Amino acid sequence: MVEGLAVPSIPLYFYNTEKREKEVFRPHSHNLVKMYTCGPTVYHYAHIGNFRTYVFEDLLRRTLRFFGYQVHQVMNLTDVDDKTIKGAIHLEQSLEDYTKPYKNAFFCDIKTLGIEPAENYPAATDYIPQMIDFIQKLIDKGYAYKSKDHSIYFSIEKFPRYGRLSHLKLEELKVGAGDRRIAEDEYDKENVSDFVLWKAYDPTRDGHIFWESPFGKGRPGWHLECSAMAHSLLGESIDIHCGAVDNVFPHHENEIAQSEAFSDKGFVRYWLHSEHLIVNHKKMSKSLGNFYTLRDLLNKGFSGTEVRYMLLHTHYRTQLNFTFEGMEGARSSLQRINDFIRRMQEIATPDAPHSEQAREALQRAIPKFSQALADDLNISVALAALFDLMHEFNSLQDQQALTEGDAAEALYVLQQFNRVIGCFSFETEEPPPLYLQEMLEQREEARKQKNWELADQLRHEILASGYLMEDTPHGPRLKKK
Ligand code: AMP
Ligand code: ZN
């Protein structure tokens, strides 16, 4: 093996939303990274905007592992909130029956997208006792109170650090001056106010969906759910917390308030937020109806890896505009990479000496790729390291200058890259069946004889068998679709 192909041991830098700058990453305990990622609300199929965020989190997770960290990732499933309750009541189903198909679809979709599984996927409804204990402690410590509507609210006045993440100035907003509180799970910065921890039962709104608690019948608020699950599974302080930018306020701001009021400890060391997937300048969202699910794209003939590549190849803090041209672009980039892999796999010249130029290209590739990722997941530069390597190797091979050993090392480097990118295909294709090979030859013969009808018929039969015909300098060859 050529020297210099090991992953370098270098510091990682991440942009911390709280500090508004890139910071060197140092987890609390030497090698273990505790990471909490807000998961899907299972009232519908997740759309590819949601998956942009989950693919970014997967890139982060894989990068940490690439650099030798062990990761304990928790991703919650929000199966009780305003939206799931509304959906279940509307269809006269139990919350469990209503959310189950969407939970299953989510797991199926992340597999298709090559997202590595998190260590835990807690569903909010499995943590109600922990949530009740959490709220009780906040009441006991004077941070929470019961209002006239019997719901329990968090008093942001009692938590002077409120607004730290989203850089809100409470004094300027005059919060707490009036009697402002908000019972909805989702609201905006215009409505900074006390927020709900336990929502009292309302028979017309909640029907059969409620839990008993010392504060009366009801159900937890969405923000509280994440704090309680993070605390139960990862402890009082965690290293990284992620989500998309729309989670910064109020969701993550409220999580900080609840968690730090609860434990008197710092909750999160690094906050990382991804920008949105947009369509014509607007956030892709269910409420705007401008969304595609993964299934929609699979039905249009794209593969999971093509969608993954499209979502991954733009830096996570830059908005990504979804278009079908973008999907085609992702398809052709992946095709180039996979064709390169096939080309390297086909090199069989064991005796020639190693190419010096190949060696140098290999030695540049891993450090460049690693440094790019270590710089706040700079995926464009990381991918440039890959394309540069491919370019140099392709030119060398055009001159027949590569040995089997060079090719094996290039494949090794691509396998290392793929630990992070997770899109490449190393499986060598089985040779096409003999009868198709014969058909291809008959078709060539028919074309030579200008028997277009027969040539066309053979072409249809080959395509129908799942193969494409590709022109190469050595004549046409069959390629699996
Ligand atoms: P939800 O299921 O609505 O709770 O959203 C799940 C996750 O997807 C959250 O972290 C959202 O911030 C994120 N998200 C929603 N829409 C988009 C989008 N268009 N682009 C990127 N992330 C999104
Ligand atoms: Zn959350």
Side-chain angles (χ1 to χ4, degrees):
M1 182 69 59
V2 167
E3 268 179 47
L5 300 195
V7 177
S9 179
I10 51 176
L12 308 188
Y13 287 81
F14 296 131
Y15 183 89
N16 187 348
T17 310
E18 186 178 341
K19 307 284 169 57
R20 303 253 165 113
E21 63 185 16
K22 279 188 213 168
E23 286 188 320
V24 65
F25 176 65
R26 286 196 197 90
H28 189 261
S29 78
H30 168 64
N31 194 41
L32 173 69
V33 180
K34 293 184 182 181
M35 172 162 145
Y36 189 90
T37 45
C38 290
T41 307
V42 279
Y43 75 112
H44 204 300
Y45 295 108
H47 57 67
I48 53 166
N50 303 130
F51 284 118
R52 181 185 193 201
T53 296
Y54 306 139
V55 166
F56 141 66
E57 290 159 352
D58 183 58
L59 175 68
L60 174 61
R61 174 194 169 88
R62 284 168 176 260
T63 298
L64 290 164
R65 282 159 51 79
F66 181 73
F67 283 102
Y69 289 102
Q70 197 192 326
V71 178
H72 183 169
Q73 181 188 359
V74 174
M75 178 176 277
N76 66 295
L77 304 172
T78 303
D79 58 356
V80 48
D81 83 324
D82 294 347
K83 292 184 280 199
T84 53
I85 291 181
K86 199 170 162 200
I89 300 284
H90 179 68
L91 292 182
E92 298 180 357
Q93 281 183 318
S94 69
L95 202 52
E96 197 184 345
D97 287 348
Y98 176 71
T99 56
K100 198 164 180 131
Y102 301 122
K103 287 182 187 168
N104 291 344
F106 173 72
F107 287 118
C108 184
D109 287 354
I110 58 173
K111 203 164 173 197
T112 308
L113 286 170
I115 292 177
E116 281 185 358
E119 280 59 35
N120 306 100
Y121 288 102
T125 48
D126 290 333
Y127 284 78
I128 304 286
Q130 290 88 332
M131 292 171 193
I132 291 172
D133 290 348
F134 205 103
I135 297 169
Q136 187 61 58
K137 190 163 167 190
L138 290 177
I139 297 174
D140 295 345
K141 289 179 85 172
Y143 287 103
Y145 62 92
K146 194 169 203 167
S147 79
K148 286 191 210 99
D149 67 357
H150 304 290
S151 292
I152 310 286
Y153 288 86
F154 186 93
S155 169
I156 56 174
E157 232 189 345
K158 299 271 167 54
F159 188 75
R161 296 191 301 279
Y162 192 83
R164 198 171 84 210
L165 182 67
S166 39
H167 296 226
L168 293 174
K169 298 227 171 8
L170 286 198
E171 324 78 66
E172 286 172 18
L173 293 161
K174 297 206 172 48
V175 181
D179 184 23
R180 289 185 65 181
R181 59 183 69 95
I182 195 140
E184 305 308 314
D185 281 329
E186 291 183 50
Y187 55 96
D188 56 26
K189 281 189 190 164
E190 305 302 307
N191 291 299
V192 179
S193 57
D194 290 356
F195 59 90
V196 76
L197 301 173
W198 185 260
K199 208 159 162 165
Y201 176 66
D202 170 346
T204 42
R205 186 192 60 207
D206 301 330
H208 56 282
I209 300 168
F210 63 85
W211 284 263
E212 297 290 352
S213 84
F215 344 108
K217 268 185 185 180
R219 51 100 171 173
W222 169 44
H223 314 294
L224 188 276
E225 294 177 8
C226 280
S227 283
M229 288 185 278
H231 180 261
S232 298
L233 290 160
L234 294 172
E236 289 170 336
S237 296
I238 61 182
D239 296 301
I240 299 181
H241 196 315
C242 303
V245 283
D246 60 316
N247 290 145
V248 174
F249 185 87
H251 186 49
H252 291 164
E253 197 68 67
N254 292 351
E255 277 191 49
I256 295 177
Q258 299 156 154
S259 300
E260 297 193 354
F262 176 88
S263 71
D264 298 316
K265 303 241 171 63
F267 175 41
V268 171
R269 295 159 71 82
Y270 302 89
W271 285 97
L272 272 70
H273 292 99
S274 58
E275 265 297 345
H276 287 141
L277 183 70
I278 56 169
V279 189
N280 295 328
H281 310 289
K282 293 210 177 78
K283 176 187 166 193
M284 181 178 281
S285 69
K286 285 164 199 156
S287 54
L288 289 177
N290 60 351
F291 67 92
Y292 290 98
T293 62
L294 179 60
R295 275 130 231 270
D296 293 335
L297 297 188
L298 298 180
N299 287 337
K300 286 183 187 292
F302 293 104
S303 68
T305 41
E306 286 165 350
V307 180
R308 177 183 172 87
Y309 190 91
M310 182 276 292
L311 294 173
L312 188 92
H313 82 293
T314 298
H315 189 257
Y316 77 94
R317 285 192 292 113
T318 307
Q319 285 189 340
L320 169 60
N321 192 31
F322 175 77
T323 59
F324 281 98
E325 291 82 63
M327 279 306 309
E328 293 294 344
R331 169 173 283 177
S332 72
S333 299
L334 266 186
Q335 186 68 54
R336 271 169 65 200
I337 299 167
N338 289 333
D339 284 349
F340 175 77
I341 291 173
R342 290 298 93 72
R343 193 174 190 204
M344 291 300 112
Q345 285 168 336
E346 282 166 10
I347 293 176
T349 45
D351 296 325
H354 274 266
S355 151
E356 198 52 44
Q357 207 180 327
R359 177 173 304 228
E360 283 169 16
L362 288 167
Q363 282 169 336
R364 274 195 303 274
I366 288 197
K368 183 171 177 190
F369 182 82
S370 309
Q371 272 151 16
L373 288 172
D375 178 16
D376 195 32
L377 309 178
N378 193 337
I379 190 72
S380 328
V381 176
L383 289 172
L386 163 69
F387 284 104
D388 287 351
L389 178 70
M390 280 169 38
H391 180 72
E392 289 192 61
F393 265 60
N394 273 328
S395 322
L396 287 168
Q397 186 52 10
D398 290 346
Q399 304 151 34
Q400 305 282 313
L402 293 177
T403 66
E404 198 177 330
D406 295 326
E409 274 157 3
L411 288 169
Y412 170 79
V413 169
L414 261 75
Q415 263 154 355
Q416 294 306 305
F417 289 178
N418 204 38
R419 286 170 55 201
V420 178
I421 308 293
C423 290
F424 313 155
S425 155
F426 290 89
E427 276 162 36
T428 36
E429 278 174 26
E430 280 180 26
L434 210 55
Y435 77 94
L436 284 180
Q437 200 57 48
E438 283 168 8
M439 269 190 194
L440 183 70
E441 284 160 23
Q442 284 166 16
R443 176 170 179 263
E444 277 313 286
E445 198 46 45
R447 275 158 55 120
K448 269 188 214 147
Q449 314 220 334
K450 299 199 171 32
N451 185 347
W452 305 122
E453 204 180 328
L454 178 61
D456 227 37
Q457 187 195 328
L458 288 163
R459 180 174 161 271
H460 280 302
E461 283 179 38
I462 292 171
L463 289 177
S465 311
Y467 281 81
L468 297 169
M469 281 148 290
E470 195 183 53
D471 279 321
T472 75
H474 316 290
R477 69 163 196 162
L478 293 173
K479 195 171 159 190
K480 221 172 184 145
K481 270 192 205 167

